[in-house]
PDB file of all heavy atoms in Angstrom:
ATOM      1  N   ASN A   1       0.838  -1.139   0.015  1.00  0.00           N
ATOM      2  CA  ASN A   1      -0.026  -0.027   0.030  1.00  0.00           C
ATOM      3  C   ASN A   1       0.840   1.251   0.062  1.00  0.00           C
ATOM      4  O   ASN A   1       1.736   1.390   0.849  1.00  0.00           O
ATOM      5  CB  ASN A   1      -0.905   0.006   1.269  1.00  0.00           C
ATOM      6  CG  ASN A   1      -2.058   0.974   1.097  1.00  0.00           C
ATOM      7  OD1 ASN A   1      -1.824   2.143   0.826  1.00  0.00           O
ATOM      8  ND2 ASN A   1      -3.286   0.506   1.198  1.00  0.00           N
ATOM      9  N   ILE A   2       0.679   2.134  -0.926  1.00  0.00           N
ATOM     10  CA  ILE A   2       1.526   3.313  -1.149  1.00  0.00           C
ATOM     11  C   ILE A   2       1.543   4.168   0.155  1.00  0.00           C
ATOM     12  O   ILE A   2       2.567   4.773   0.475  1.00  0.00           O
ATOM     13  CB  ILE A   2       1.049   4.149  -2.325  1.00  0.00           C
ATOM     14  CG1 ILE A   2       1.325   3.423  -3.627  1.00  0.00           C
ATOM     15  CG2 ILE A   2       1.707   5.546  -2.333  1.00  0.00           C
ATOM     16  CD1 ILE A   2       0.787   4.037  -4.832  1.00  0.00           C
ATOM     17  N   SER A   3       0.416   4.165   0.866  1.00  0.00           N
ATOM     18  CA  SER A   3       0.360   4.929   2.108  1.00  0.00           C
ATOM     19  C   SER A   3       1.420   4.495   3.100  1.00  0.00           C
ATOM     20  O   SER A   3       1.769   5.221   4.075  1.00  0.00           O
ATOM     21  CB  SER A   3      -1.029   4.890   2.745  1.00  0.00           C
ATOM     22  OG  SER A   3      -1.364   3.539   3.107  1.00  0.00           O
ATOM     23  N   GLU A   4       1.877   3.263   2.959  1.00  0.00           N
ATOM     24  CA  GLU A   4       2.860   2.669   3.864  1.00  0.00           C
ATOM     25  C   GLU A   4       4.271   2.712   3.237  1.00  0.00           C
ATOM     26  O   GLU A   4       5.275   3.131   3.870  1.00  0.00           O
ATOM     27  CB  GLU A   4       2.479   1.285   4.265  1.00  0.00           C
ATOM     28  CG  GLU A   4       1.176   1.173   5.002  1.00  0.00           C
ATOM     29  CD  GLU A   4       0.693  -0.265   5.196  1.00  0.00           C
ATOM     30  OE1 GLU A   4       1.420  -1.188   4.761  1.00  0.00           O
ATOM     31  OE2 GLU A   4      -0.382  -0.453   5.784  1.00  0.00           O
ATOM     32  N   THR A   5       4.401   2.227   2.019  1.00  0.00           N
ATOM     33  CA  THR A   5       5.660   2.091   1.384  1.00  0.00           C
ATOM     34  C   THR A   5       6.361   3.453   1.066  1.00  0.00           C
ATOM     35  O   THR A   5       7.601   3.535   0.985  1.00  0.00           O
ATOM     36  CB  THR A   5       5.547   1.291   0.060  1.00  0.00           C
ATOM     37  OG1 THR A   5       4.590   1.892  -0.780  1.00  0.00           O
ATOM     38  CG2 THR A   5       5.108  -0.165   0.347  1.00  0.00           C
ATOM     39  N   VAL A   6       5.588   4.483   0.837  1.00  0.00           N
ATOM     40  CA  VAL A   6       6.140   5.758   0.484  1.00  0.00           C
ATOM     41  C   VAL A   6       7.034   6.306   1.612  1.00  0.00           C
ATOM     42  O   VAL A   6       8.000   7.050   1.395  1.00  0.00           O
ATOM     43  CB  VAL A   6       5.045   6.817   0.177  1.00  0.00           C
ATOM     44  CG1 VAL A   6       4.250   7.201   1.338  1.00  0.00           C
ATOM     45  CG2 VAL A   6       5.636   8.004  -0.529  1.00  0.00           C
ATOM     46  N   HIS A   7       6.692   5.995   2.867  1.00  0.00           N
ATOM     47  CA  HIS A   7       7.434   6.528   3.972  1.00  0.00           C
ATOM     48  C   HIS A   7       8.779   5.851   4.192  1.00  0.00           C
ATOM     49  O   HIS A   7       9.629   6.402   4.831  1.00  0.00           O
ATOM     50  CB  HIS A   7       6.589   6.367   5.263  1.00  0.00           C
ATOM     51  CG  HIS A   7       5.331   7.181   5.239  1.00  0.00           C
ATOM     52  ND1 HIS A   7       5.293   8.525   5.212  1.00  0.00           N
ATOM     53  CD2 HIS A   7       4.047   6.721   5.211  1.00  0.00           C
ATOM     54  CE1 HIS A   7       4.097   8.956   5.138  1.00  0.00           C
ATOM     55  NE2 HIS A   7       3.256   7.927   5.140  1.00  0.00           N
ATOM     56  N   THR A   8       8.981   4.679   3.661  1.00  0.00           N
ATOM     57  CA  THR A   8      10.250   3.968   3.851  1.00  0.00           C
ATOM     58  C   THR A   8      11.091   3.867   2.526  1.00  0.00           C
ATOM     59  O   THR A   8      12.065   3.149   2.446  1.00  0.00           O
ATOM     60  CB  THR A   8      10.004   2.531   4.346  1.00  0.00           C
ATOM     61  OG1 THR A   8       9.179   1.814   3.430  1.00  0.00           O
ATOM     62  CG2 THR A   8       9.335   2.564   5.730  1.00  0.00           C
ATOM     63  N   LEU A   9      10.576   4.593   1.505  1.00  0.00           N
ATOM     64  CA  LEU A   9      11.178   4.454   0.182  1.00  0.00           C
ATOM     65  C   LEU A   9      12.690   4.752   0.218  1.00  0.00           C
ATOM     66  O   LEU A   9      13.491   3.959  -0.306  1.00  0.00           O
ATOM     67  CB  LEU A   9      10.440   5.436  -0.750  1.00  0.00           C
ATOM     68  CG  LEU A   9      11.063   5.526  -2.207  1.00  0.00           C
ATOM     69  CD1 LEU A   9      10.960   4.158  -2.884  1.00  0.00           C
ATOM     70  CD2 LEU A   9      10.327   6.581  -3.000  1.00  0.00           C
ATOM     71  N   PHE A  10      13.074   5.883   0.780  1.00  0.00           N
ATOM     72  CA  PHE A  10      14.493   6.281   0.760  1.00  0.00           C
ATOM     73  C   PHE A  10      15.356   5.606   1.878  1.00  0.00           C
ATOM     74  O   PHE A  10      16.529   5.383   1.691  1.00  0.00           O
ATOM     75  CB  PHE A  10      14.617   7.802   0.841  1.00  0.00           C
ATOM     76  CG  PHE A  10      14.066   8.493  -0.328  1.00  0.00           C
ATOM     77  CD1 PHE A  10      12.837   9.157  -0.312  1.00  0.00           C
ATOM     78  CD2 PHE A  10      14.799   8.536  -1.526  1.00  0.00           C
ATOM     79  CE1 PHE A  10      12.330   9.789  -1.403  1.00  0.00           C
ATOM     80  CE2 PHE A  10      14.254   9.188  -2.654  1.00  0.00           C
ATOM     81  CZ  PHE A  10      13.032   9.814  -2.635  1.00  0.00           C
ATOM     82  N   SER A  11      14.695   5.281   2.989  1.00  0.00           N
ATOM     83  CA  SER A  11      15.445   4.683   4.111  1.00  0.00           C
ATOM     84  C   SER A  11      15.667   3.180   3.863  1.00  0.00           C
ATOM     85  O   SER A  11      16.674   2.582   4.271  1.00  0.00           O
ATOM     86  CB  SER A  11      14.728   4.860   5.367  1.00  0.00           C
ATOM     87  OG  SER A  11      13.406   4.281   5.362  1.00  0.00           O
ATOM     88  N   LYS A  12      14.727   2.472   3.170  1.00  0.00           N
ATOM     89  CA  LYS A  12      14.781   1.071   2.931  1.00  0.00           C
ATOM     90  C   LYS A  12      15.484   0.677   1.656  1.00  0.00           C
ATOM     91  O   LYS A  12      16.058  -0.392   1.517  1.00  0.00           O
ATOM     92  CB  LYS A  12      13.375   0.513   2.965  1.00  0.00           C
ATOM     93  CG  LYS A  12      13.293  -1.009   3.025  1.00  0.00           C
ATOM     94  CD  LYS A  12      11.840  -1.487   3.219  1.00  0.00           C
ATOM     95  CE  LYS A  12      11.766  -2.995   3.295  1.00  0.00           C
ATOM     96  NZ  LYS A  12      10.354  -3.474   3.483  1.00  0.00           N
ATOM     97  N   HIS A  13      15.413   1.569   0.666  1.00  0.00           N
ATOM     98  CA  HIS A  13      16.070   1.263  -0.666  1.00  0.00           C
ATOM     99  C   HIS A  13      17.141   2.259  -0.999  1.00  0.00           C
ATOM    100  O   HIS A  13      16.960   3.472  -0.822  1.00  0.00           O
ATOM    101  CB  HIS A  13      14.908   1.272  -1.717  1.00  0.00           C
ATOM    102  CG  HIS A  13      13.753   0.379  -1.423  1.00  0.00           C
ATOM    103  ND1 HIS A  13      13.771  -0.966  -1.704  1.00  0.00           N
ATOM    104  CD2 HIS A  13      12.587   0.644  -0.829  1.00  0.00           C
ATOM    105  CE1 HIS A  13      12.609  -1.487  -1.298  1.00  0.00           C
ATOM    106  NE2 HIS A  13      11.855  -0.501  -0.802  1.00  0.00           N
ATOM    107  N   ALA A  14      18.254   1.749  -1.454  1.00  0.00           N
ATOM    108  CA  ALA A  14      19.370   2.607  -1.833  1.00  0.00           C
ATOM    109  C   ALA A  14      19.150   3.192  -3.233  1.00  0.00           C
ATOM    110  O   ALA A  14      19.645   2.703  -4.236  1.00  0.00           O
ATOM    111  CB  ALA A  14      20.640   1.811  -1.814  1.00  0.00           C
ATOM    112  N   ILE A  15      18.356   4.252  -3.310  1.00  0.00           N
ATOM    113  CA  ILE A  15      18.064   4.919  -4.554  1.00  0.00           C
ATOM    114  C   ILE A  15      18.542   6.317  -4.546  1.00  0.00           C
ATOM    115  O   ILE A  15      18.649   6.946  -3.491  1.00  0.00           O
ATOM    116  CB  ILE A  15      16.539   4.889  -4.857  1.00  0.00           C
ATOM    117  CG1 ILE A  15      15.758   5.567  -3.752  1.00  0.00           C
ATOM    118  CG2 ILE A  15      16.080   3.453  -5.061  1.00  0.00           C
ATOM    119  CD1 ILE A  15      14.253   5.619  -4.060  1.00  0.00           C
ATOM    120  N   PRO A  16      18.887   6.810  -5.693  1.00  0.00           N
ATOM    121  CA  PRO A  16      19.430   8.170  -5.848  1.00  0.00           C
ATOM    122  C   PRO A  16      18.309   9.255  -5.675  1.00  0.00           C
ATOM    123  O   PRO A  16      17.158   8.875  -5.537  1.00  0.00           O
ATOM    124  CB  PRO A  16      20.003   8.248  -7.269  1.00  0.00           C
ATOM    125  CG  PRO A  16      19.269   7.165  -8.009  1.00  0.00           C
ATOM    126  CD  PRO A  16      18.963   6.144  -7.016  1.00  0.00           C
ATOM    127  N   PRO A  17      18.668  10.510  -5.663  1.00  0.00           N
ATOM    128  CA  PRO A  17      17.660  11.560  -5.425  1.00  0.00           C
ATOM    129  C   PRO A  17      16.501  11.511  -6.442  1.00  0.00           C
ATOM    130  O   PRO A  17      16.696  11.149  -7.602  1.00  0.00           O
ATOM    131  CB  PRO A  17      18.453  12.850  -5.643  1.00  0.00           C
ATOM    132  CG  PRO A  17      19.897  12.461  -5.290  1.00  0.00           C
ATOM    133  CD  PRO A  17      20.021  11.051  -5.812  1.00  0.00           C
ATOM    134  N   LEU A  18      15.351  11.958  -6.001  1.00  0.00           N
ATOM    135  CA  LEU A  18      14.168  12.013  -6.867  1.00  0.00           C
ATOM    136  C   LEU A  18      14.326  12.987  -7.976  1.00  0.00           C
ATOM    137  O   LEU A  18      14.641  14.159  -7.716  1.00  0.00           O
ATOM    138  CB  LEU A  18      12.949  12.319  -5.956  1.00  0.00           C
ATOM    139  CG  LEU A  18      11.562  12.276  -6.555  1.00  0.00           C
ATOM    140  CD1 LEU A  18      11.287  10.878  -7.100  1.00  0.00           C
ATOM    141  CD2 LEU A  18      10.567  12.654  -5.504  1.00  0.00           C
ATOM    142  N   GLY A  19      13.978  12.545  -9.186  1.00  0.00           N
ATOM    143  CA  GLY A  19      14.118  13.455 -10.337  1.00  0.00           C
ATOM    144  C   GLY A  19      12.823  13.677 -11.087  1.00  0.00           C
ATOM    145  O   GLY A  19      12.583  14.731 -11.632  1.00  0.00           O
ATOM    146  N   PHE A  20      11.978  12.630 -11.139  1.00  0.00           N
ATOM    147  CA  PHE A  20      10.748  12.670 -11.906  1.00  0.00           C
ATOM    148  C   PHE A  20       9.740  11.847 -11.201  1.00  0.00           C
ATOM    149  O   PHE A  20      10.053  10.720 -10.762  1.00  0.00           O
ATOM    150  CB  PHE A  20      10.928  12.260 -13.334  1.00  0.00           C
ATOM    151  CG  PHE A  20       9.665  12.097 -14.153  1.00  0.00           C
ATOM    152  CD1 PHE A  20       8.856  13.170 -14.302  1.00  0.00           C
ATOM    153  CD2 PHE A  20       9.345  10.835 -14.671  1.00  0.00           C
ATOM    154  CE1 PHE A  20       7.612  13.013 -15.049  1.00  0.00           C
ATOM    155  CE2 PHE A  20       8.138  10.677 -15.383  1.00  0.00           C
ATOM    156  CZ  PHE A  20       7.291  11.801 -15.586  1.00  0.00           C
ATOM    157  N   VAL A  21       8.410  12.308 -11.182  1.00  0.00           N
ATOM    158  CA  VAL A  21       7.329  11.512 -10.558  1.00  0.00           C
ATOM    159  C   VAL A  21       6.121  11.480 -11.459  1.00  0.00           C
ATOM    160  O   VAL A  21       5.737  12.556 -12.021  1.00  0.00           O
ATOM    161  CB  VAL A  21       6.961  12.173  -9.182  1.00  0.00           C
ATOM    162  CG1 VAL A  21       5.710  11.461  -8.653  1.00  0.00           C
ATOM    163  CG2 VAL A  21       8.136  12.064  -8.188  1.00  0.00           C
ATOM    164  N   SER A  22       5.583  10.307 -11.618  1.00  0.00           N
ATOM    165  CA  SER A  22       4.304  10.113 -12.317  1.00  0.00           C
ATOM    166  C   SER A  22       3.320   9.493 -11.304  1.00  0.00           C
ATOM    167  O   SER A  22       3.635   8.535 -10.625  1.00  0.00           O
ATOM    168  CB  SER A  22       4.491   9.181 -13.509  1.00  0.00           C
ATOM    169  OG  SER A  22       3.213   8.770 -14.001  1.00  0.00           O
ATOM    170  N   ILE A  23       2.119  10.113 -11.268  1.00  0.00           N
ATOM    171  CA  ILE A  23       1.091   9.601 -10.399  1.00  0.00           C
ATOM    172  C   ILE A  23      -0.179   9.304 -11.196  1.00  0.00           C
ATOM    173  O   ILE A  23      -0.746  10.151 -11.773  1.00  0.00           O
ATOM    174  CB  ILE A  23       0.730  10.564  -9.303  1.00  0.00           C
ATOM    175  CG1 ILE A  23       1.987  10.945  -8.469  1.00  0.00           C
ATOM    176  CG2 ILE A  23      -0.340  10.043  -8.342  1.00  0.00           C
ATOM    177  CD1 ILE A  23       1.739  11.978  -7.357  1.00  0.00           C
ATOM    178  N   ASP A  24      -0.504   8.006 -11.187  1.00  0.00           N
ATOM    179  CA  ASP A  24      -1.819   7.574 -11.840  1.00  0.00           C
ATOM    180  C   ASP A  24      -2.378   6.428 -11.029  1.00  0.00           C
ATOM    181  O   ASP A  24      -2.208   5.256 -11.338  1.00  0.00           O
ATOM    182  CB  ASP A  24      -1.476   7.062 -13.268  1.00  0.00           C
ATOM    183  CG  ASP A  24      -2.721   6.666 -14.045  1.00  0.00           C
ATOM    184  OD1 ASP A  24      -3.860   6.863 -13.487  1.00  0.00           O
ATOM    185  OD2 ASP A  24      -2.627   6.130 -15.119  1.00  0.00           O
TER     186      ASP A  24
END
């Protein structure tokens, strides 16, 4: 559920800075 996974996105996954976002 995005309401949960969005909060741990950067702490749990080693991903670079956010550059582009698509929401659908």
